[in-house]
Each structure stands twice: as structure tokens, then as C-alpha cells.
Amino acid sequence: MTFTIVFLIAFIASFGLRHWLSQRQIRFVARHRDSVPAEFAEKVTLAEHQKAADYTIAKLRLGILENGVSAIILIGFTLLGGLEILNIALLQLLGDGIPQQIALLASIVIISGIIDIPFSWYKQFHLEERFGFNRMTKKLFFSDMFKGIGIGGAIGIPLLWIILSLMAKAGDLWWLWAWGVLTAFSLLMQWIFPTLIAPLFNKFVALDDGPLKTQIEALLKRCDFASQGLFVMDGSKRSAHGNAFFAGMGKAKRIVFFDTLIEKLNPGEVEAVLAHELGHFKCKHIRKRLFVSFLLSFAMFALLGWISTKVWFYTDLGVMPNLNGYNGGLALALFMLVSPVFSFFLTPLGSLASRKHEYEADGFAAEKSSAKDLISALVKLYQDNASTLTPDPIYTAFYSSHPPAPLRIANLQRFK
Ligand SMILES: [Zn+2]
């Protein structure tokens, strides 16, 4: 019973906090809808500012609805007995053993995925469409979905098989082995994702020779950065939003520009955006984030190793553990469903670290490229993406991986 109460308190607090933060953000953005902040008055029109406010609010309203639905799903699976029913039905169908546990976990993923379809559909073909950002066809929506399921199954099922076998056979320290397997796997993914998986969804072509390429190569040389080539990705087949990123590790690093970014920014601005991304690499942010994620997953596995041996972990969350000892699948399922309720409260720490990294990367870009170009690129991207210039400070402190535009630009202005 005790754990039921602990879970319910954390559940209500996290659901309530999410809801309250979204409502705050909606009110704040709505209150500032009718005037462009003074520092942007010359660059952003009132119509653009209002579009950003409306887009931000529409996304938040959808998020509030999703928050409610996922709360119902969570309670349905746990305290209302959904997982218990599913587990018993699959035991009758498949008997006990690893296939039954994989089927249990796959069923949860499939059920949650099906419930998510109307939300993704509405988001892409109504919300994004209404604001002019959708470039995706309905055919592509389904082909992405089926490719995702195929790849997820091809990678996820063997990986689950290994982890569940370790849980059943590797003794008390199974979680340490499982963590090792998962860590090795995520390092492998860093390497195979850009070369094998991403090309299944997008086309990558080498950046054409020309002034932009010359300018980018000069920047790479100045920053002493070796990469496996410059690529342009057809991001425009899904969305009008633009971006630049790197993918891969070590010698396999590729620099990727969305075609939409190159369309919208001039070469100087593209260079400044890339310099910012290089800043993340040179300031070791990417390595630090990977290291922190390994530490966190270590802690999570240690916790799972301990909690999965406690009968109350199952009974207090609405399921009976299996008597035959094959509880790995149930433990993983419960942990997957319930742990986000608790880890949600760590969000502000991650956001804070991320905003600090953004300032550092901006500093790097200002030094190696140009603060002025980065500012004009940011303003264009804010306009084009209809990002709000007036976020609520508490919402920002909790969630935002990037500092609000006015603060970020004020910081860059120090370098001019
Ligand atoms: Zn950044």
C-alpha cells in the first residue's frame, strides 16, 4: 500500500505541475501577444509576432490534452489493472518464458503507439498545416510509421531478448551486465544511425561546390575540425522548420544541413549556425551529455535491479508477480511506465545545463565566426519557426533547452 500512495502523490504532482506550467505559458504568451518586444521591433512584424503566439498556444493546448490522455493510460495500465489483464492473457496464450515477456512489452508499446496516432496526425495535418509548416504527405506519414515499427522491432526485439535473458540467468548483478549491454549498444547506434538508419528516412547529398562550401571549409579549418563530409538533407519533405546538426562520433562525424536552412539563411548566417554547433563539440558538450546519460542509466538499472526483487513493487502497482520467477518483462514494463512520473522532477536540472551549454556554444560561434551573423540567423529562425519571443520565465526555467531569444541575443551583443 505504501508504494501505491507514494506513486499516487508523485503522479498527481507531476500531472498537476505539467498542466500548471502549460497554463502559465499560455497566459503569459497571450498577455504579450499584442506588442512586439522593443528589442525586436525593427526586425519582427506584429503579424509575425502574433502568429508565433498563436502557434505556441495551439501546441500547448494539444500538449495539455496529451498530458491528460497519457495520465489515463498510465493509471489504466497500473492501478486499474490493464497490465495484469494483458500479462495473464499472454501467459495463457504463450506460456511463461522470454517470448511471453517480449510480447508483453511489445503490446504496451503498440497500444501506446496506437493511442498516439490521432495526436501525431492532428499535429502534422491540422496544427502544422494551419501555420504553413507541414510539407509531409499522408503517404509519407504512414511510410515513416511502418519503417519506424520495422526498425524498432528489428533492433528492439533482439536487444530485449538479451536483457531479459540476463535478468533470468545472470544472478543478482544482472542489471550491471544489462547496463553494459545497453551502453555498448547506444555507442554502436551513434555510429550506425547516421550511416545506416537516417538514410532510410531522408536523402543526404554532398553540399555543392560554391561560395557556401568554401566558407564552411574555411571555418572548419579555423576550428581545427575534421569531418567525414558536408551533407544537405531533404528536411523539406516533412517540415518547413530548418536546422543544422552533426551526426556520428570520432572519425565518422558528418555535418548535416537541412535544405530548409540553406534556403532561408545567407552563407554568413549558415556559417555562424554551424560555428555554434561546432562549439557544442569543441566545448565537449556532446561527450558530457553522453557521459551523464550513461551515469543516469546506471542509476536506473541499479534501482531496477533492487526494486524488481520486491513483491510490493508489483502488487502496489496493480499486478501480481509471476510465481515461476520470470518477472523481468513485468518489472521492465512497470518501470518503463512509472519511472517518468518520478524522473520528470529532474527536468529543470537538464534544462539548466543545456541553457548553459547554449551560451557557451554561442560564445564559441562569436569568436570563430560572427556574433552579428548569428544574431541575424537566430532572428530569421525565430520568425520562420514562429517561436515565441515572450516565454513565461518559470516555464522556461523548467523546460527550455535554449535560453529565451531576448537573453540569447543580449548575450551575443556583448561580442559585437
Ligand atoms: Zn545549441
Side-chain angles (χ1 to χ4, degrees):
M1 254 335 255
T2 324
F3 190 59
T4 309
I5 294 166
V6 172
F7 166 64
L8 271 176
I9 292 173
F11 166 75
I12 292 166
S14 69
F15 171 79
L17 184 57
R18 257 183 241 267
H19 187 82
W20 179 75
L21 286 167
S22 300
Q23 294 286 11
R24 269 193 75 96
Q25 172 83 332
I26 289 175
R27 280 198 303 271
F28 199 91
V29 171
R31 222 172 24 244
H32 294 83
R33 188 179 179 278
D34 290 326
S35 66
V36 181
E39 62 266 49
F40 294 96
E42 285 164 23
K43 298 166 193 145
V44 178
T45 65
L46 182 62
E48 284 168 336
H49 177 68
Q50 292 182 330
K51 177 186 174 187
D54 296 342
Y55 178 57
T56 305
I57 291 172
K59 280 193 296 183
L60 286 159
R61 292 221 167 103
L62 184 65
I64 286 177
L65 188 63
E66 273 186 289
N67 184 29
V69 171
S70 55
I72 294 168
I73 295 172
L74 174 58
I75 294 299
F77 269 128
T78 55
L79 302 183
L80 296 179
L83 193 58
E84 175 73 0
I85 294 169
L86 206 55
N87 186 41
I88 290 172
L90 289 169
L91 276 173
Q92 279 164 355
L93 198 68
L94 299 168
D96 41 63
I98 288 176
Q100 188 268 347
Q101 300 177 66
I102 290 181
L104 180 70
L105 290 158
S107 315
I108 297 173
V109 172
I110 292 167
I111 293 170
S112 318
I114 290 173
I115 296 172
D116 183 58
I117 292 173
F119 286 101
S120 315
W121 183 273
Y122 179 84
K123 181 158 198 281
Q124 195 69 36
F125 297 113
H126 293 266
L127 205 159
E128 294 286 305
E129 183 78 43
R130 174 151 40 105
F131 290 93
F133 295 129
N134 177 43
R135 302 246 181 111
M136 193 183 224
T137 60
K138 287 169 185 165
K139 192 176 149 217
L140 184 61
F141 181 88
F142 286 109
S143 102
D144 276 1
M145 192 170 85
F146 291 117
K147 271 187 209 164
I149 295 170
I151 295 164
I155 294 175
I157 292 172
L159 192 64
L160 265 181
W161 197 287
I162 296 172
I163 289 175
L164 290 166
S165 305
L166 288 168
M167 291 180 95
K169 300 195 180 97
D172 289 345
L173 286 180
W174 69 264
W175 59 270
L176 197 59
W177 293 102
W179 175 75
V181 167
L182 206 68
T183 303
F185 169 77
S186 49
L187 286 171
L188 182 72
M189 278 302 281
Q190 298 276 330
W191 181 58
I192 64 171
F193 186 85
T195 45
L196 296 179
I197 297 178
L200 299 175
F201 291 91
N202 283 98
K203 273 201 193 69
F204 293 83
V205 294
L207 180 64
D208 288 337
D209 289 328
L212 178 61
K213 189 170 177 185
T214 315
Q215 200 168 344
I216 297 292
E217 278 170 346
L219 172 74
L220 295 179
K221 204 160 184 191
R222 248 181 356 260
C223 299
D224 193 22
F225 184 89
S227 92
Q228 281 285 77
L230 303 166
F231 293 88
V232 179
M233 190 188 100
D234 57 347
S236 59
K237 83 179 198 193
R238 292 194 178 77
S239 163
H241 298 304
N243 207 348
F245 64 92
F246 291 139
M249 287 203 328
K251 292 212 160 59
K253 288 187 301 284
R254 296 171 146 202
I255 292 170
V256 179
F257 300 102
F258 279 40
D259 52 357
T260 37
L261 188 83
I262 295 179
E263 272 165 35
K264 282 166 196 164
L265 303 184
N266 68 41
E269 292 164 342
V270 174
E271 183 204 289
V273 169
L274 178 62
H276 169 96
E277 295 302 321
L278 292 174
H280 281 307
F281 182 80
K282 288 287 175 184
C283 306
K284 302 202 164 55
H285 298 157
I286 297 169
R287 213 180 294 175
K288 279 182 202 162
R289 277 178 217 175
L290 208 58
F291 182 70
V292 169
S293 77
F294 291 155
L295 274 185
L296 282 175
S297 68
F298 182 85
M300 296 290 261
F301 268 105
L303 180 63
L304 179 60
W306 173 71
I307 214 169
S308 62
T309 62
K310 307 291 172 204
V311 175
W312 52 258
F313 174 60
Y314 305 89
T315 53
D316 283 6
L317 291 174
V319 280
M320 283 305 291
N322 302 328
L323 296 171
N324 53 37
Y326 274 119
N327 281 309
L330 265 185
L332 277 183
L334 278 178
F335 201 73
M336 205 167 76
L337 288 165
V338 167
S339 61
V341 165
F342 296 93
S343 61
F344 174 67
F345 297 99
L346 298 175
T347 311
L349 291 179
S351 306
L352 183 67
S354 174
R355 290 194 301 271
K356 183 171 161 271
H357 289 168
E358 291 306 323
Y359 282 127
E360 285 172 15
D362 280 350
F364 182 88
E367 189 192 315
K368 298 287 181 182
S369 177
S370 143
K372 192 170 148 281
D373 281 339
L374 188 54
I375 291 173
S376 70
L378 285 174
V379 172
K380 278 192 192 170
L381 291 174
Y382 269 91
Q383 281 168 320
D384 267 337
N385 292 330
S387 309
T388 179
L389 298 170
T390 56
D392 172 51
I394 296 178
Y395 184 93
T396 302
F398 201 93
Y399 283 120
S400 295
S401 59
H402 289 66
L407 295 183
R408 208 172 154 190
I409 287 169
N411 174 63
L412 277 167
Q413 258 148 0
R414 296 186 303 130
F415 294 95
K416 276 215 281 196

